[in-house]
Every structure is written in structure tokens, then in C-alpha cells.
Amino acid sequence: MGTIEERIASLGYDLPTASAPVANYVSTVRVETAGLVFTSGHVPRNPDGSFITGRLGKDMSTEAGYEAAKNVAISILSSIKTEIGELDQVERVVKVLCMVNSTPEFTEHPSVANGASDLMVEIFGDKGRHARSAVGMASLPANVPVEIEMIIQAR
């Protein structure tokens, strides 16, 4: 187990087994020449594998959305680990796209996305600082509150 995985465990998070894609796509794509790894959209799941559901501004609070985004970020790290072997190989978190299932009146998308962003910085330090977009969506698959994609650079 590498240093990053030890840090994840010390923060009280369990790195789950990477979920298999549910359709005709892959969880990650690695571009060797640039060291870039692109993830597919990941969604929050309960420990039993079921989806965490809810719409921000209707039946889920901003704080619950923040926690859902953290949940997704851990899932993304699991997929990245599966792709690159060790999370210590992460050179930089490059970009995060956080899509928030919200009502038209909801405006706290960045506060929800902070769940993933804060966790990346907590785990990777300055290497976890990244460019980011946080956008609202009229709906997301299975009524999940957030879907997140990430691009990282690996050694």
C-alpha cells in the first residue's frame, strides 16, 4: 500500500473496489504520452452498491450534496488506482467536472463540488489543486445528486 492510500485510510475512508461500467464505456482512459488519465462520470453509491439519490434544492441539502461529492471522489480514486496501480503515481489532479442534479432555483453548485475538491487537496496536498467546473443539471441518471469526471496526470 502506498503513502496516498495510507493517507486515505488515516482520514477514515475505505477505497472501494472499482465499479464495472454499466454500458458500452470504460471507467478510465490513460493517455501514456502525456500521463493523463480521464475518468468517466462516477456517481455516489451506498456501501451495498445502491445509488445515493436526491435532488439538490428539493430533497437534499447542500451539506448532503457535499458528502455525496466526497463519496464520488473516493470512487474515482478507486478507478484511477485500478488503472495506474498505485495512487502514489498521481502527479497532479488536473481537472474536475462536477454535475449537480438540482432545481432551477438552486445556486450552490460550487459548495457541492467542494466535497470532491476539498478531498483531493486533503489527500494529495498541492498536487490535488485542480481546475474545476461545477454545473447544474435538470436531471442525472437514477436521480443521483452528483456525477463527477476527473482528469489526473500520472507518472
Side-chain angles (χ1 to χ4, degrees), residues 66-142:
Y66 178 97
E67 292 301 321
K70 281 173 52 173
N71 173 294
V72 175
I74 288 290
S75 176
I76 289 172
L77 291 179
S78 179
S79 292
I80 290 170
K81 179 183 182 322
T82 299
E83 179 66 34
I84 68 175
E86 289 288 331
L87 291 174
D88 289 316
Q89 296 299 312
V90 173
E91 186 66 33
R92 179 86 196 256
V93 178
V94 177
K95 172 78 175 180
V96 171
L97 168 61
C98 182
M99 297 163 276
V100 180
N101 181 7
S102 62
T103 63
E105 301 78 27
F106 185 79
T107 60
E108 298 178 25
H109 309 88
S111 296
V112 172
N114 285 345
S117 295
D118 291 349
L119 187 65
M120 291 301 102
V121 174
E122 189 175 20
I123 291 170
F124 294 106
D126 282 340
K127 296 188 310 184
R129 297 191 188 283
H130 52 270
R132 182 182 85 184
S133 299
V135 297
M137 300 289 172
S139 68
L140 286 173

Side-chain angles (χ1 to χ4, degrees), residues 9-47:
S10 75
L11 292 169
Y13 299 104
D14 292 320
L15 201 60
T17 302
S19 298
V22 296
N24 193 15
Y25 64 90
V26 295
S27 296
T28 59
V29 171
R30 188 172 188 176
V31 181
E32 292 289 340
T33 56
L36 296 178
V37 177
F38 295 74
T39 71
S40 292
H42 284 62
V43 297
R45 292 181 182 267
N46 292 301

Side-chain angles (χ1 to χ4, degrees), residues 50-66:
S50 64
F51 296 121
I52 294 172
T53 60
R55 190 169 195 204
L56 280 293
K58 180 181 177 195
D59 46 21
M60 182 174 274
S61 69
T62 301
E63 295 76 20
Y66 178 97

